[in-house]
Amino acid sequence: MKILDSRRITGPSFFTEKPGAMIDVTVPTEKSNDVIAEWELSVRTFLNGFGWTNEITQYRKYKGSVSLFMSAPIDALYSACDVNETAFQFSILKNLNSFDVELKRLKKLIDEESDPAILKLKNVAKKHGVKFLQSDDIISVGTGTGCRAFRVDKIPKPSDIDWSSIHDIPIGLITGTNGKSTSVRLMESILFEAGITSGASSPDGIRVARKTVESGDYSGPEGARSTLRNPQVEMAVLEVARGGMLRRGLPVRNVDAALITNIANDHFGDYGVNSISEMATTKFIVSKGLKDEGILILNADDNAIIENSKNCSKSICWFSLNSNNPRLLAHIHKGGMGAYLDDDKLIFVNNKKKIKLMHIHDIPITMKGIARYNISNSLGALCLAKAIHIENKFIINGLKNFTSSFENNPGRCNYFEKKGISILLDFAHNPHGLSALLELANHFPAKRKLILLSQAGDRSNADIENLVQKAMALNPAQVHIADVAENYQRGRNPGEIIQVFKNAFLSSGLTEKYIDTFSSFSAGVKGSLEWAEEGGFLLLLVLDDLIESKKMIDDFE
């Protein structure tokens, strides 16, 4: 038995809405109940020794491991991690002779970390009804245009703060397996049409008024907090990734609305999430971040979402590509909110009042209706916009003026025609996303087709094999496999991912002469363009080197 991971939980999580410390430990299944009981006794003994008598403990068992959580004050979470680790060691080693020594050591750590000024400011912010956000170096009250931020070593007295100038802005959260980033950008387009300065965080960076202010992957908690602290932002749309929720919990509480786009097989194995059901439970963490009157927007075409919604007490707005979806129909017949596709039109219903919003041919990213997954993304964005009270005309203009160009939505369904060759550039990296793309690709007649792909190293061989099985449905005349940059290798050796892909394609019946490998995505794109000829189709699934790959396509004349 050993500790696999130890981390702070700063917001609503799998277990609770309270902050605390979590450890993941390996435990033989037959011993898990005994270990949990011993750990809880050990943790409780330490908590009582610190006077943390109101804190709670929770656990979760999964495949030879257990997650052990103890809540703790927000100004002592680093120390709380040490407490949790020490308590687990005591529960295994039974070495209680040094308990007093460890208690003294941990008390000293807690005293050094604790900051009464943080707790006081948090409590006063709560009394004023505004959000309190805490990072390692910065804390803040209010959000967006109503935010005031302070260094943790220069926290003012609450009485010295002009609370009349502090307020919160509307916030929407977006999560799911696929379509998250596109949905964020659709919302940015809608808010732009409404004359609202948007703030957005996603794997594409942090954007204010649709302009990038920080590049990189900002789909985690710190990206969200940085966005919410920007004094220009009047409304925020935050992509909330699975990893961030499992590592830290939600970045913010009491938000206005949250959207779950879909649930599919991706990232299985991380933090004990090994099934669609467990993934759905992870995505539904966003519901814990909603204010009491907040609205949860859900995909009624997704069985895992429907099943998990049965345990949700929040107000729900359903959307569906099927006007006869039973879950949607039952909901709107009771007066609930919902949106659906009917006769190629987006329909929104609330309190049994039906509005025909617009035709899908007027939404560029649907590619005249053949990109079904982008119709679904448009429905989700429509519902999220309605949940935060955006007028119909701005929603219509936002969807109408948003395209699948690289500039609007880089790496998401970017279509090009060059020398009579159809090229689709996309970020799809899991079987669910690839299936949606292949449905679109089948609408492009082609003399011969090529697919370029790879995968991050933290995916299992089985995940890669599943992706290959989906790729074979394209019936490619040629397959190009790219190695990934170092930051995507994630525990794999250089060239290892290529070999796993190659073996999977060979096992699927493709012969070696139809497979080429490349040292990078940009090299793979270059090779794909050189292979192409008039009447061909290229499906380029690019994880990195995106800007360079786009430049190669632009220069291909």
Side-chain angles (χ1 to χ4, degrees):
M1 292 182 285
K2 66 178 181 179
I3 296 174
L4 297 172
D5 188 66
S6 178
R7 59 192 183 277
R8 296 169 296 143
I9 302 297
T10 56
S13 66
F14 235 130
F15 295 109
T16 176
E17 295 186 15
K18 302 187 74 170
M22 175 98 75
I23 54 175
D24 296 316
V25 299
T26 58
V27 178
T29 302
E30 66 276 8
K31 294 184 178 181
S32 60
N33 289 337
D34 291 338
V35 168
I36 290 166
E38 291 290 341
W39 166 78
E40 285 189 313
L41 177 61
S42 181
V43 160
R44 184 54 59 190
T45 304
F46 277 107
L47 292 177
N48 289 340
F50 307 138
W52 290 359
T53 55
N54 291 326
E55 304 302 341
I56 64 171
T57 59
Q58 292 183 327
Y59 64 87
R60 175 173 168 264
K61 295 188 281 188
Y62 57 92
K63 284 190 178 181
S65 300
V66 180
S67 293
L68 305 171
F69 172 83
M70 51 163 274
S71 66
I74 62 167
D75 64 332
L77 294 186
Y78 283 105
S79 301
C81 290
D82 203 331
V83 172
N84 205 4
E85 295 167 30
T86 302
F88 178 70
Q89 295 296 338
F90 266 76
S91 68
I92 294 175
L93 300 176
K94 310 293 184 185
N95 185 12
L96 299 182
N97 292 329
S98 60
F99 175 80
D100 289 340
V101 173
E102 286 300 310
L103 183 65
K104 183 178 180 180
R105 178 182 71 84
L106 293 170
K107 275 185 175 180
K108 184 173 183 294
L109 288 178
I110 291 169
D111 288 342
E112 290 173 351
E113 183 182 359
S114 297
D115 190 339
I118 291 177
L119 294 178
K120 186 172 183 179
L121 187 59
K122 178 187 177 184
N123 291 333
V124 174
K126 185 177 180 180
K127 289 180 181 178
H128 283 276
V130 295
K131 292 178 177 58
F132 174 89
L133 302 176
Q134 181 181 3
S135 303
D136 286 348
D137 300 320
I138 299 174
I139 62 168
S140 56
V141 291
T143 48
T145 54
C147 177
R148 288 285 307 278
F150 313 98
R151 288 182 52 86
V152 292
D153 57 350
K154 295 183 178 180
I155 300 173
K157 294 178 181 179
S159 58
D160 292 339
I161 297 173
D162 179 11
W163 291 95
S164 66
S165 67
I166 296 170
H167 61 266
D168 283 321
I169 60 171
I171 300 170
L173 304 180
I174 297 178
T175 192
T177 301
N178 292 307
K180 300 184 294 296
S181 296
T182 295
S183 298
V184 168
R185 287 184 177 266
L186 282 170
M187 281 300 302
E188 290 179 272
S189 179
I190 290 169
L191 296 178
F192 174 80
E193 295 296 335
I196 297 170
T197 301
S198 63
S201 60
S202 75
D204 298 329
I206 296 174
R207 294 181 300 280
V208 175
R210 301 199 298 178
K211 294 183 179 179
T212 299
V213 295
E214 293 287 346
S215 298
D217 186 348
Y218 282 93
S219 59
E222 281 310 306
R225 294 185 188 115
S226 294
T227 304
L228 293 174
R229 287 177 178 139
N230 189 299
Q232 299 177 55
V233 174
E234 297 173 330
M235 192 172 289
V237 188
L238 311 173
E239 180 172 337
V240 185
R242 165 209 54 86
M245 288 191 283
L246 290 170
R247 281 193 303 273
R248 291 284 182 264
L250 285 181
V252 61
R253 295 172 170 83
N254 297 319
V255 304
D256 300 84
L259 163 65
I260 304 179
T261 59
N262 46 58
I263 309 289
N265 180 345
D266 192 25
H267 286 291
F268 280 2
D270 289 352
Y271 298 105
V273 175
N274 297 296
S275 67
I276 290 291
S277 175
E278 290 170 334
M279 184 62 75
T281 302
T282 302
K283 301 297 186 182
F284 267 79
I285 292 173
V286 295
S287 67
K288 296 180 180 180
L290 289 169
K291 59 177 61 171
D292 290 343
E293 66 274 23
I295 296 174
L296 183 62
I297 296 104
L298 299 178
N299 186 344
D301 298 325
D302 192 297
N303 290 332
I305 288 178
I306 291 172
E307 186 61 30
N308 219 275
S309 71
K310 296 174 182 177
N311 302 317
C312 182
S313 60
K314 299 295 184 181
S315 296
I316 294 176
C317 173
W318 290 100
F319 66 94
S320 173
L321 292 171
N322 177 9
S323 61
N324 293 314
N325 181 288
R327 174 67 57 174
L328 173 77
L329 288 178
H331 184 68
I332 61 178
H333 285 167
K334 293 178 181 177
M337 288 176 62
Y340 56 90
L341 178 68
D342 185 31
D343 193 25
D344 286 344
K345 295 182 179 66
L346 300 192
I347 310 296
F348 180 78
V349 182
N350 189 25
N351 291 325
K352 298 185 178 182
K353 182 181 178 181
K354 183 167 72 172
I355 301 170
K356 293 182 180 179
L357 208 70
M358 62 192 305
H359 198 285
I360 58 173
H361 287 192
D362 294 325
I363 306 175
I365 65 167
T366 72
M367 301 183 77
K368 298 189 182 300
I370 63 175
R372 300 282 292 178
Y373 62 95
N374 270 336
I375 302 176
S376 186
N377 289 333
S378 298
L379 285 165
L382 154 63
C383 291
L384 184 55
K386 294 295 290 185
I388 53 179
H389 310 297
I390 303 298
E391 293 181 35
N392 293 337
K393 62 181 179 181
F394 301 130
I395 297 174
I396 292 169
N397 289 337
L399 295 178
K400 184 181 294 185
N401 293 326
F402 184 81
T403 71
S404 282
S405 69
F406 188 86
E407 291 69 29
N408 267 357
N409 204 15
R412 276 87 181 178
C413 197
N414 305 144
Y415 178 71
F416 310 86
E417 284 188 12
K418 293 279 187 172
K419 296 183 180 180
I421 302 162
S422 296
I423 304 169
L424 197 58
L425 177 69
D426 202 277
F427 185 74
H429 59 286
N430 56 54
H432 182 270
L434 181 53
S435 292
L437 270 181
L438 293 181
E439 184 180 342
L440 172 61
N442 288 332
H443 288 84
F444 294 99
K447 294 177 181 178
R448 59 179 192 166
K449 299 178 181 180
L450 175 148
I451 184 169
L452 166 69
L453 75 175
S454 191
Q455 185 56 282
D458 56 357
R459 303 307 205 280
S460 68
N461 287 4
D463 289 337
I464 292 174
E465 290 161 5
N466 288 338
L467 194 65
V468 166
Q469 289 298 318
K470 292 294 183 184
M472 288 297 289
L474 183 67
N475 192 25
Q478 192 74 18
V479 168
H480 285 179
I481 307 166
D483 207 357
V484 292
E486 185 176 352
N487 61 310
Y488 274 98
Q489 289 177 4
R490 299 172 186 172
R492 300 266 193 176
N493 295 319
E496 183 180 347
I497 295 168
I498 285 180
Q499 195 58 52
V500 176
F501 265 102
K502 189 172 183 178
N503 292 341
F505 275 112
L506 292 172
S507 297
S508 298
L510 204 65
T511 57
E512 193 156 357
K513 70 177 181 178
Y514 299 119
I515 303 172
D516 285 322
T517 62
F518 298 86
S519 61
S520 67
F521 273 105
S522 55
V525 170
K526 183 174 183 292
S528 299
L529 293 171
E530 291 173 349
W531 176 89
E533 58 185 31
E534 186 175 355
F537 174 78
L538 305 181
L539 181 56
L540 308 179
L541 307 182
V542 176
L543 298 182
D544 57 30
D545 288 347
L546 195 58
I547 294 175
E548 188 173 350
S549 297
K550 165 63 164 51
K551 186 176 186 305
M552 286 183 178
I553 296 172
D554 287 341
D555 293 343
F556 183 62
E557 297 292 351

